[in-house]
Amino acid sequence: MSKSFLIDTTLCTACRGCQVACKQWHDLPAEKTINRGTYENPADLSFDTYKLVRMREEVINGKLNWLFFPEQCRHCIEAPCLETAGDPGAIYKDDKTGAIIFTANTKRLNAAEIIESCPYNIPRKAPDGTLAKCDMCIDRVENGLPPACVQTCPTGAMNFGDRDEMLALAGKQLAVAKKKFPKAMLIDADDLNVIYLVGYEPKLYCKNAMASNAVFDITRQMALKRMIRPLTNIASRLL
Amino acid sequence: MTNHWIDLKNSDCILIMGSNAASNHPISFKYVQMAQEKGAKLINVDPRFTRTSSKADFYTALRSGTDIAFLGGMIKYLLDKKLYNKEYVENYTNAPFIVGKAFKFSDGLFSGYEAKNRKYDKSKWAFDMDSKGVPKMDRSLKNSRCVLNLLKKHFSRYNTKLVSSITGTPEADLVEVYKTYAATGARGKAGTIMYAMGWTQHTVGVQNIRTMAMIQLLLGNMGVAGGGVNALRGESNVQGSTDQCLLWHIWPGYLKTPRASNVSLSAYNKKWTPKSNDPLSANWWQNYPKYSVSLLKSFFGEKATKANDFGYDWMPKVDDGTDYSWLTLFDEMYKGTVKGLFAWGMNPACSGANSNKTRKAMENLDWMVNVNLFDNETGSFWKGPGMNPSTIKTEVFMLPACVSVEKEGSITNSGRWMQWRYMGPKPLGNSLSDGDIIMELGLKLKEIYKEGGAFPEPILNLKWDYMTDGLYDPHKVAKEINGYYLEGPKKGKLVESFSKLKADGSTSSANWLYCNSYTEKGNMSARRSKVDAPNNIGLYPEFAWCWPVNRRILYNRASVDLKGQPWDKKDWVVRFAGNVKNGKYVSKKWIGDVPDGGWYPLENPDGTKRKDAKHPFIMRKHGYAQIFGPGRADGPFPEHYEPLECPVEKNLMNKQRINPVAPVYGTDADAYATCDPKFPFVGTTYRVSEHWQTGLMTRTQPWLLELQPQVFVEMSEELAKLRGFKNGERVMVSSARGSLECTAIVTKRFKPFKIAGNTVHQVGVPWHYGWRWPETGAEESANLLTPSTGDPNTRIPETKAFMVNVTKK
């Protein structure tokens, strides 16, 4: 049974404990930031920032909302990045948890191609071409601990556990949320191990909250890649 | 908090006003959202739409400093529509008390005002007493001089139209809040308030909270689960440090600091021990001498004897009528009378109101000892902006303190829970725990005083035996705070409860409120049982320890009717479960929380009155909660006054623009500006999740600085347009006292107010920054802007409402 997250944005207060806990566990350096006229910082995910709470001021039905979305890798069940890479030494899926793991070998991949393959625009590249993103705190999970972001969350917005448990919780929380947010929904729950519960249209929260239509193009690209993979694999072995 | 954090989940309606709990008390939202999931309504009232507002079922805005107008309107609404809890109000509050004829209110002034001294003669607000010396009452509430009818009259002016023109809150929104909250007046329903410095830091701070406390009483929300008046403290151990007398006017356990006129122990005890002639009043403070003597025995040990008044003469006295609060201390320092300063775990150069004055005042010091984790704007004040180090003679000593996780001891949280913490890593480098620093300081002082000095007795006679193997021992201090039997068969044993303390010197206790926290059964605050009490409302009585005597909800005997049975059958706090014979209770037994006194209920099951019962508000002299509060400096009823600096020429509610007894200071650093076109906008200060206090522990932390790198000023899109600001540009914010550069956050979350037909803009600046870090030195404290004025009762500064300008850099 794979592991899943349920991220209930209706409970998120954007305290950003998760964002800091992620940095702390992974010992990632702080980025030099400036205040850009918003609380949201850094400006984007990066090689040093796997998790970022998006904050959007949206007037919906004449009422102001401040929407929070702790953005991170979705750990897709069929992960386009993994398919695109076709290099298990660089990107692989952990069988026990379903975590999609990027290794230092991502340096040998075509970074732009991998980034483009992600329907949620998650992977980011270091100057040397190595790619990074959320690793589900797999070292913690293997040792019986929840991911750092889940452990630190005070409100129950971040949840983690066996996929069936999380799906059950998602169903329950969705029913609760619907009372206040008639349009509440789970985002791409069937395809992802990181399931977001949102109260309004996903695109209001974050540009890439939901897989874009471009995903079809990506799938096409992937199919193409699969066709030519044997060649590239041979080529890389020769090199 | 009268209740505690977990108890928030039991509420049916949570009002968050004067606080931004989601940002600044993030854990609280676990319980707030548990309540919401069960159907509770969350109302948020704040000048600005915050993280808290984002989770509220209903949000509305008010102009900073107008909370009494807002809440006064609610009182009028409750009374007009008879939505108050009549049974509760009649029996448990002083609503039926008859107020003496000398009490009057006109033109914004209560009777007894002395204009020259800017203070009130409170004797004019006394109750009428009967021949036995018990307040006269009219339980039918018909007498025109009874508290409830005076209350009606007082708040009759607070109609929604007038309130709206003061607060800027739309009338429909006022009614929505009033209606939703008033629903908690129904039997079995509970409403709670979560407030913080957004209410306290005003010239009407105490009265802000009193107004809400009165609403809670009118609705029967005190003492019940999911109710109460809940102050969210600004630091993990503020409750503990207040309990242990961090403030000048109290001794540990809220005993009074003696005045010079309290010339002997008996005079002191007589002055501060209230007397009630009502046999049904517990008047708990009648035990005052037991607590004061036990405290003196704790301070001076065997040196404290009956013959020497237990060392009372060695305790410092304050001059009658003189104030020694923060604002006044720095005022005196500015004038040159205060020559030395211990800045201990504080950063006054950034945290105090009117920082330019505070920093300038420090130039007059001969010496300063800065006890802190890191150097800060206080220790380095002499090389700060605008300072000339060559002319400053202050000698600064830095004593490095270790961080909280590097030491053992307790903290007491907002919910009054004393929680023991073990030591994690050992203190880094040559840093020491506060306990070790204080112990060493005390020993050194004793050594020096042995050689002579003025009035050496207090130091030489001080019992100072809290070390084990040369190190500070937090267990010894915790036991001392609990107290010991000093004589008799139990000599040397820890006292079980404050009910055992004596006024004859046979017991000690360094804080009577904490007696029961560390007994022969062990350290109660170190308990970690996760078993709930039988009522299953989240009391967890054996997790940590709670003052007093592990009572988790204060005034809990008001959660039951006169027969001792809970108003709320489901989420009940206590219930009387004694045996009944022929319609009378014949044995005493309470279940649930530790009851506020274990007496019989006021009535038997057959409705007959009992003579061995006590009224539930045992800390009040007469046993009743005070809707009429004649002890406050600024009046027995709250009244709307404008902040000292405000955007209106006159107070629309009465003829006094500002609180007539608000303190003002007169140095050249104390400029105040009202309706001054140079400072047209309302300013306020607040916190963010990502920083802590003056930022000393967070500005230096790169991950947190990454999140909130720069001081900012939040403003509406309308104001930005008016001034031609772009979002994210650096601008100047200034007041009559100082200015700082901020990044403009232009947001929909601030909206201009309509105040008496005029547009009033408000802006807000977080106060976590200081020039010392980040290294650019460009991020300064918002307290450069704030005024030296404050509440007349507490002198907490008015940093939540003042006037500013915002201009291009």
Side-chain angles (χ1 to χ4, degrees), chain B residues 92-213:
Chain B
Y92 296 158
T93 76
N94 67 9
F97 286 30
I98 311 296
V99 179
K101 293 262 185 317
F103 167 76
K104 286 189 185 68
F105 177 81
S106 65
D107 292 344
L109 288 172
F110 295 93
S111 46
Y113 187 62
E114 297 164 5
K116 194 170 145 250
N117 307 322
R118 304 189 74 238
K119 62 183 283 208
Y120 281 107
D121 171 8
K122 290 187 256 182
S123 70
K124 304 284 188 219
W125 311 334
F127 296 115
D128 271 352
M129 306 299 253
D130 67 15
S131 56
K132 291 183 197 131
V134 176
K136 281 188 192 163
M137 289 182 224
D138 174 17
R139 292 223 192 250
S140 71
L141 303 175
K142 292 203 176 94
N143 189 311
S144 66
R145 296 292 297 175
C146 83
V147 166
L148 193 81
N149 291 327
L150 292 176
L151 183 76
K152 272 184 193 162
K153 190 176 160 209
H154 186 81
F155 284 105
S156 61
R157 297 164 294 140
Y158 287 63
N159 62 70
T160 48
K161 186 157 182 269
L162 184 57
V163 169
S164 174
S165 63
I166 291 171
T167 60
T169 313
E171 276 188 84
D173 285 10
L174 290 171
V175 173
E176 180 69 22
V177 173
Y178 298 165
K179 196 173 141 193
T180 310
Y181 201 77
T184 66
R187 198 185 251 247
K189 294 284 176 201
T192 191
I193 170 68
M194 296 165 69
Y195 75 90
M197 275 65 88
W199 266 2
T200 55
Q201 292 180 346
H202 291 278
T203 41
V204 292
V206 167
Q207 297 287 8
N208 279 336
I209 294 141
R210 249 189 66 67
T211 319
M212 192 65 209

Side-chain angles (χ1 to χ4, degrees), chain B residues 596-607:
Chain B
D596 233 332
W599 301 278
Y600 278 104
L602 289 155
E603 282 183 6
N604 285 307
D606 64 6

Side-chain angles (χ1 to χ4, degrees), chain A residues 119-171:
Chain A
Y120 303 97
N121 186 28
I122 296 296
R124 293 291 185 275
K125 142 179 115 111
D128 73 354
T130 314
L131 290 164
K133 62 159 195 74
C134 161
D135 62 0
M136 204 189 263
C137 284
I138 187 146
D139 44 355
R140 291 174 60 91
V141 174
E142 276 177 358
N143 287 287
L145 295 170
C149 56
V150 175
Q151 170 121 334
T152 206
C153 178
T155 62
M158 297 292 311
N159 303 275
F160 183 79
D162 288 340
R163 181 165 174 82
D164 56 356
E165 270 175 53
M166 285 302 110
L167 286 173
L169 184 64

Side-chain angles (χ1 to χ4, degrees), chain B residues 765-777:
Chain B
V765 184
W767 61 276
H768 301 291
Y769 295 86
W771 59 270
R772 191 82 179 71
W773 196 265
E775 59 208 337
T776 58

Side-chain angles (χ1 to χ4, degrees), chain B residues 248-270:
Chain B
W248 71 272
H249 67 298
I250 44 173
W251 281 359
Y254 304 94
L255 303 178
K256 309 283 183 184
T257 301
R259 271 55 178 174
S261 60
N262 309 153
V263 293
S264 64
L265 178 62
S266 61
Y268 167 77
N269 280 334
K270 188 166 176 235

Side-chain angles (χ1 to χ4, degrees), chain B residues 362-418:
Chain B
M362 289 174 184
E363 288 186 31
N364 294 330
L365 293 170
D366 293 337
W367 56 266
M368 174 200 291
V369 181
N370 192 28
V371 188
N372 220 312
L373 308 184
F374 313 115
D375 180 38
N376 56 9
E377 287 78 6
T378 299
S380 284
F381 82 95
W382 51 273
K383 56 178 176 183
M387 294 287 173
N388 180 0
S390 66
T391 62
I392 298 170
K393 296 194 175 66
T394 314
E395 190 174 5
V396 181
F397 303 88
M398 171 79 199
L399 299 184
C402 71
V403 73
S404 62
V405 297
E406 294 170 338
K407 60 192 177 188
E408 188 179 14
S410 76
I411 63 115
T412 303
N413 74 9
S414 300
R416 298 168 288 106
W417 289 19
M418 175 187 176

